[in-house]
Amino acid sequence: MRNLALIVILVFAGCQSRKGSDFIFYKWNIQESYYLKFNSTDTLYLINPYEEQTSYTILKSDEKEKIQSVLDSISFPQEKTSFSRSVNDGVTYAFNLKKNNQSSKLKIHADAGPNQFWVFGKSLEEIKNNHKFIKIKKVFDLSEIDSMVFQKVKFVKKNNGH
């Protein structure tokens, strides 16, 4: 009986250690906008913000391990935003990783920012494009990544010399 209890504890502890991360990826360009949500399981969620629709797919084990490997090794820079000032159009990627109650964020645009994040974003796009997603009724709280993605615009009153 004691061996069975020990096995149950070890299995439970092993399952709990992988649940420490929650990852959301955001892609925007003039043609499309979506979120991908991954939380160390074999399920990948696709959220379409315009249609307010969530879908899911089951990842292949190599895809899951590829994503998890990057999340375990990638280093987020101190600066949370990288934009090319000379380019107005282009692709925007945003990354939000919560791991062990700490949050790491990065938003990059128009080829500015760390190359490893551009490569990771393109690999996530490829995984998304190679899957069929099934619609479900599930809502996720995206407020943390949205606060970074959709920054408030401050208007300055023009002084006409009056």
Side-chain angles (χ1 to χ4, degrees):
M1 185 67 174
R2 191 183 336 169
N3 288 340
L4 180 61
L6 182 61
I7 290 170
V8 169
I9 291 171
L10 289 174
V11 168
F12 182 71
C15 291
Q16 290 296 89
S17 66
R18 295 295 275 191
K19 292 278 186 185
S21 67
D22 188 36
F23 174 70
I24 300 175
F25 167 75
Y26 174 76
K27 179 191 176 185
W28 178 88
N29 66 24
I30 199 156
Q31 298 157 338
E32 65 181 338
S33 174
Y34 62 84
Y35 300 86
L36 293 176
K37 182 171 178 7
F38 175 76
N39 57 4
S40 303
T41 66
D42 61 354
T43 306
L44 182 67
Y45 296 96
L46 171 66
I47 301 122
N48 180 328
Y50 299 119
E51 296 177 6
E52 297 180 6
Q53 177 61 57
T54 301
S55 305
Y56 78 95
T57 191
I58 304 300
L59 295 170
K60 298 174 193 162
S61 61
D62 63 319
E63 293 169 325
K64 175 189 170 226
E65 290 304 318
K66 181 179 179 181
I67 293 170
Q68 190 61 56
S69 175
V70 171
L71 294 177
D72 289 342
S73 64
I74 203 162
S75 292
F76 281 76
Q78 293 290 340
E79 187 64 35
K80 292 182 176 160
T81 309
S82 286
F83 275 81
S84 172
R85 298 285 179 219
S86 62
V87 179
N88 291 328
D89 290 336
V91 174
T92 298
Y93 288 159
F95 306 85
N96 185 26
L97 175 63
K98 283 186 183 178
K99 194 179 203 178
N100 302 325
N101 293 328
Q102 291 188 343
S103 186
S104 300
K105 299 176 185 180
L106 179 65
K107 179 171 127 180
I108 54 180
H109 176 74
D111 293 328
N115 189 52
Q116 63 185 343
F117 283 90
W118 285 105
V119 171
F120 185 37
K122 289 183 191 321
S123 72
L124 292 169
E125 281 187 71
E126 197 173 289
I127 289 171
K128 174 201 156 279
N129 292 338
N130 288 329
H131 280 270
K132 293 203 182 254
F133 286 80
I134 301 165
K135 292 181 180 182
I136 59 171
K137 291 185 185 254
K138 188 165 182 123
V139 177
F140 292 103
D141 179 10
L142 302 170
S143 59
E144 188 171 346
I145 194 166
D146 282 348
S147 68
M148 176 182 58
V149 171
F150 304 109
Q151 296 174 342
K152 293 182 180 180
V153 176
K154 293 182 182 177
F155 293 99
V156 178
K157 190 174 182 178
K158 186 176 179 182
N159 185 354
N160 290 332
H162 299 303

